[in-house]
Amino acid sequence: MDAGLFGGTFNPLHNGHIGIIKYVKQAFHLQKIFLFPSATPPHKSAIDLAPIQDRLDMVRAGVAELDGFYTSDVELKRKGPSFTIDTINDFKRSPFETISQSPPNFFLLMGSDAFFDITTWKNQELIFKAIPIIVMLRGERTGIAPIASFIDEHISKGYKLNIRQKKFTHEQMQPVHICNVPKIDISSTMIRERVKANRSIKELVPANVENIIKKKDLYK
Ligand code: ATP
């Protein structure tokens, strides 16, 4: 079974997240995608950060009716900042019978902005050794070229690009795949700003997420 792991602050989950993961699930024939909200995101400021339990509830409610999407609270259970390498290892170590009939092949999904930030992540080299990555490009006109130079300069000179397959391969590291996802102009920042300004967020987040934001009075 092929499964995607998609981490984020999800402050809150929005239709941009949902649109891209639906697209990647189909494009890479992933049977399942696990979304894991970061408990204490090391890269984002805590201003306007909704409590982890509320962000988790919003993710859970937002994907509840979608087939093949699951929410994981692994980062909620760990203390301290959430590091992706620890989460990958938690997924790999957990008994596969709890999620599938055979040991899953995991893929780490990330937006290009997160990918370009990866040099600041803990144990980035271990991440590239541990798990194939799918980088989601949102219609950037520059295409793969900036990713190729970034990998060459900051990750390893040993990666080779197969342009037809949009895939970087390496003898000691896991592949990095590129997926061109539809451009959806929604961000969590935009949602928080609209809520603060009493503007509608309908069509931008799933209805269940909007209900939680209202009920819990988040982002005011
Ligand atoms: P914020 O506006 O608070 O910075 P965000 O909308 O980027 O948040 P995150 O939870 O930080 O949301 O994003 C998790 C991942 O989803 C990141 O890898 C990011 O690149 C990706 N992502 C977020 N919004 C979109 C979108 N509209 N299209 C494609 N990828 C997205």
Side-chain angles (χ1 to χ4, degrees):
M1 183 199 67
D2 289 341
L5 305 180
F6 184 46
T9 315
F10 302 125
N11 186 36
L13 175 82
H14 54 68
N15 289 341
H17 296 128
I18 292 184
I20 57 166
I21 55 178
K22 274 185 171 171
Y23 185 90
V24 174
K25 184 170 182 286
Q26 224 176 5
F28 281 79
H29 309 288
L30 305 176
Q31 275 94 61
K32 298 186 178 187
I33 293 189
F34 295 88
L35 289 86
F36 59 95
S38 313
T40 320
H43 303 102
K44 296 213 178 181
S45 97
I47 300 169
D48 262 353
L49 183 66
I52 174 66
Q53 189 60 56
D54 291 340
R55 287 184 285 121
L56 190 70
D57 289 347
M58 289 190 278
V59 173
R60 202 165 266 149
V63 301
E65 281 150 32
L66 302 176
D67 227 23
F69 293 93
Y70 301 84
T71 309
S72 164
D73 60 1
V74 273
E75 297 211 347
L76 183 76
K77 291 183 184 144
R78 278 199 315 263
K79 299 260 179 296
S82 328
F83 293 114
T84 303
I85 186 67
D86 301 329
T87 303
I88 295 166
N89 288 331
D90 280 351
F91 268 100
K92 286 182 150 187
R93 274 196 295 257
S94 66
F96 70 83
E97 295 84 353
T98 56
I99 59 168
S100 65
Q101 286 166 346
S102 54
N105 304 310
F106 288 116
F107 291 79
L108 181 67
L109 315 185
M110 53 171 79
S112 54
D113 54 339
F115 186 73
F116 286 127
D117 202 35
I118 205 164
T119 44
T120 63
W121 292 21
K122 184 187 159 200
N123 289 337
Q124 47 132 321
E125 203 190 318
L126 292 185
I127 297 180
F128 284 88
K129 286 193 172 143
I131 190 166
I133 296 177
I134 300 175
V135 182
M136 300 176 287
L137 283 189
R138 345 178 177 178
E140 285 92 333
R141 282 206 202 95
T142 47
I144 296 183
I147 305 264
S149 3
F150 179 83
I151 288 179
D152 189 58
E153 206 171 311
H154 298 286
I155 313 299
S156 164
K157 303 250 176 252
Y159 274 101
K160 291 194 173 52
L161 170 62
N162 180 323
I163 192 87
R164 205 177 46 81
Q165 293 180 359
K166 293 199 209 127
K167 177 179 174 183
F168 294 85
T169 52
H170 192 291
E171 282 177 8
Q172 285 93 38
M173 315 260 227
Q174 299 279 350
V176 177
H177 303 262
I178 304 298
C179 182
N180 289 92
V181 296
K183 190 163 166 42
I184 309 170
D185 275 324
I186 307 177
S187 70
S188 299
T189 307
M190 175 201 284
I191 307 295
R192 296 193 300 275
E193 285 172 358
R194 291 181 77 100
V195 172
K196 208 163 271 164
N198 284 317
R199 294 176 65 195
S200 166
I201 53 167
K202 242 181 207 33
E203 318 298 333
L204 302 177
V205 297
N208 293 341
V209 171
E210 190 186 358
N211 291 339
I212 295 178
I213 293 175
K214 279 196 184 136
K215 201 171 113 203
K216 293 279 183 125
D217 213 17
L218 300 174
Y219 311 125
K220 284 291 187 182

